[in-house]
Amino acid sequence: MIKIEHVNLDKISRNYFNQIKVSIKSRCDYFLNVLNVIFRGASNNLKQHSLHGSLKKTLTNQLLLATSKLENQSQYVNVLRANIEPWVVLQEQLIFDILNYLNDDKNLEDLILCRPDSAINTENDVKNSVGLTTLMDSNIKLLINSIIDFSLFDDYAYKIANELNVNTCPYCNRNYINTVISKKGKGIIRPTFDHFFSQKHHPFLALSFFNLIPSCYYCNSSLKGSNVMKLDTHLHPYLEGFYSDVTFNVLIKDLKPNKSDPENFSLIFKDNMIYMSPFDRYRKIFGGSRVLDNLKEGNINLFKLKDIYQSHLDIVGELVVKCDMLNTTYANSLKSILEPLASSNEEFYQFYFGNYFNEKNFNRRPMAKLTKDLVEQILPVFNLMSK
């Protein structure tokens, strides 16, 4: 729903790459050492490698037969061709090619920093370069997962979340996803990070910066879950938001005497796109087409926004009452008080409605889009006042 924007986005992503590549290359280097011992008669000095002992054991055991698994440091002598899994022998060249590719700085940079609209092509380039032209073998996928390992992101998640400063979920703009770090530098809370392109189907993109979307738990786990998202079926928060193509619209029923009573209202998403708008834009927002819906397509469908926002009708009621009170005379009287304080019209909006007017700030507070859309629907005079 809300686009993620930040003036230092390139700097944040590049700093992340410069750090994460060290961990990825260290794992590639270790695997290459193991394979060189197995296939090329290199000296077995695996115990001296800089990786942590338990991690080395885990990585090595992926390649060894069940009867030869390492249990302690003294068993590195078991790293022999006779003790490795048959799939390793059968796919020796492919494994070497994958490791050498991922151990290259330029290749890693292209992969980790690929933009959302080129991510799938970048991943396909990797596959083509290493000869992965058929369905990926489960053992090869496990090998890739142990190198492009999402658990590595834990070391950087708090820092990135703090630097991005996205305070509300871009998928729903309902929930705070603040990052809090203690004075001692210990992480306390942070957003979850959703893989727009799933790890299951796109293991090479598991650590790609623009594939990791800071989001709330409900959108990431409860609503999206294992559902597949693609650029032609869903909005990517680093590329686009709803903007004015779709707006919240309130239907007022006046069933209860208390004007702000939630039972007096219902919300709909209004399609403001002209009929000739690109089909994929409609599909990514609403799902399917104007004739045929697909409940797995479109951000509104996938994240159940139509249903979930009905639980916020109390906020709608408060906004309606405020808009009713804010006739032109009252607005001007408030402005006359604020103007000597050098308050802008945008500051007046924030003071009165308790939210942000400029779309670039919608990620700073929940319900920012809802608030602006309803104010502009109920109080058209505000459009004139805000200029």
Side-chain angles (χ1 to χ4, degrees):
M1 178 189 292
I2 305 300
K3 183 180 179 182
I4 299 174
E5 298 183 86
H6 196 290
V7 293
N8 292 322
L9 199 54
D10 287 339
K11 180 179 178 181
I12 294 169
S13 59
R14 183 155 294 279
N15 286 342
Y16 162 69
F17 162 69
N18 288 331
Q19 296 173 68
I20 199 75
K21 77 173 182 180
V22 176
S23 299
I24 296 173
K25 292 186 67 175
S26 182
R27 294 186 181 206
C28 286
D29 181 67
Y30 178 73
F31 267 128
L32 285 168
N33 284 355
V34 173
L35 293 180
N36 282 327
V37 170
I38 293 171
F39 292 111
R40 298 178 181 174
S43 299
N44 190 332
N45 57 1
L46 300 175
K47 286 194 294 184
Q48 282 73 51
H49 196 277
S50 59
L51 278 187
H52 188 274
S54 61
L55 176 58
K56 287 192 293 185
K57 183 176 72 173
T58 299
L59 297 180
T60 308
N61 284 339
Q62 285 184 223
L63 309 178
L64 295 177
L65 293 165
T67 54
S68 304
K69 302 289 187 187
L70 306 184
E71 294 182 3
N72 55 60
Q73 293 275 346
S74 67
Q75 294 180 317
Y76 277 99
V77 293
N78 290 347
V79 180
L80 303 168
R81 182 168 182 147
N83 292 335
I84 63 171
E85 289 275 5
W87 68 269
V88 179
V89 177
L90 292 173
Q91 302 187 84
E92 173 190 347
Q93 190 57 53
L94 173 61
I95 298 170
F96 267 111
D97 288 344
I98 291 173
L99 294 172
N100 284 321
Y101 188 95
L102 295 178
N103 205 31
D104 180 88
D105 280 23
K106 182 60 170 67
N107 293 338
L108 265 186
E109 180 179 348
D110 291 344
L111 189 60
I112 299 302
L113 296 182
C114 62
R115 296 286 170 167
D117 47 1
S118 63
I120 300 302
N121 287 337
T122 300
E123 184 181 44
N124 288 336
D125 288 344
V126 177
K127 292 178 180 177
N128 291 333
S129 296
V130 302
L132 266 172
T133 55
T134 58
L135 188 65
M136 197 180 299
D137 177 87
S138 60
N139 291 308
I140 293 296
K141 184 178 286 189
L142 181 61
L143 178 75
I144 295 167
N145 288 340
S146 65
I147 300 167
I148 310 295
D149 182 358
F150 183 54
S151 69
L152 292 172
F153 187 71
D154 288 342
D155 292 336
Y156 313 101
Y158 272 97
K159 184 175 187 295
I160 290 173
N162 191 51
E163 290 175 336
L164 287 175
N165 197 29
V166 177
N167 288 330
T168 68
C169 176
Y171 287 137
C172 68
N173 192 222
R174 294 175 52 249
N175 297 311
Y176 276 115
I177 54 169
N178 306 79
T179 302
V180 179
I181 300 173
S182 73
K183 292 181 180 179
K184 295 182 178 180
K186 179 179 174 58
I188 298 174
I189 58 170
R190 65 166 175 85
T192 65
F193 281 82
D194 169 54
H195 287 87
F196 185 91
F197 302 112
S198 72
Q199 295 184 79
K200 178 180 178 181
H201 298 100
H202 304 280
F204 283 109
L205 301 177
L207 288 172
S208 298
F209 182 87
F210 294 100
N211 191 38
L212 298 169
I213 312 299
S215 52
C216 70
Y217 173 82
Y218 301 109
C219 286
N220 186 1
S221 299
S222 301
L223 296 170
K224 182 193 173 185
S226 60
N227 287 303
V228 173
M229 295 175 76
K230 298 185 291 184
L231 290 182
D232 59 351
T233 59
H234 297 88
L235 298 177
H236 191 297
Y238 275 115
L239 293 177
E240 55 190 336
F242 280 2
Y243 307 130
S244 59
D245 284 343
V246 56
T247 52
F248 288 98
N249 215 248
V250 61
L251 303 178
I252 302 174
K253 296 177 280 192
D254 286 332
L255 298 176
K256 301 288 184 179
N258 179 359
K259 272 191 173 183
S260 65
D261 194 301
E263 292 188 33
N264 287 335
F265 313 102
S266 62
L267 280 173
I268 62 169
F269 283 98
K270 182 182 177 184
D271 173 12
N272 300 318
M273 289 178 279
I274 61 173
Y275 188 74
M276 295 303 292
S277 294
F279 166 67
D280 64 338
R281 178 74 175 153
Y282 182 92
R283 184 183 184 188
K284 288 187 284 188
I285 293 174
F286 289 97
S289 70
R290 286 180 169 87
V291 177
L292 181 65
D293 283 340
N294 183 323
L295 296 181
K296 292 184 179 180
E297 295 182 353
N299 285 44
I300 288 177
N301 285 338
L302 181 59
F303 296 108
K304 309 297 182 191
L305 298 180
K306 288 180 181 177
D307 298 319
I308 290 174
Y309 264 91
Q310 302 303 324
S311 67
H312 298 298
L313 294 178
D314 58 329
I315 295 174
V316 174
E318 292 171 8
L319 287 171
V320 170
V321 170
K322 282 188 174 183
C323 286
D324 282 349
M325 293 173 62
L326 191 59
N327 54 50
T328 303
T329 303
Y330 183 50
N332 288 334
S333 67
L334 281 174
K335 285 184 67 183
S336 67
I337 296 172
L338 294 171
E339 280 172 358
L341 302 176
S343 295
S344 67
N345 291 330
E346 191 171 320
E347 289 172 327
F348 168 74
Y349 173 94
Q350 186 173 344
F351 159 77
Y352 189 75
F353 293 106
N355 223 314
Y356 292 93
F357 181 80
N358 195 313
E359 187 159 349
K360 71 179 182 181
N361 294 320
F362 280 2
N363 61 20
R364 299 180 67 180
R365 191 172 294 173
M367 313 294 173
K369 179 168 176 58
L370 170 72
T371 301
K372 184 176 180 182
D373 288 351
L374 296 191
V375 169
E376 291 188 338
Q377 175 198 346
I378 302 167
L379 195 67
V381 69
F382 185 81
N383 287 328
L384 298 174
M385 186 188 74
S386 61
K387 292 179 180 178

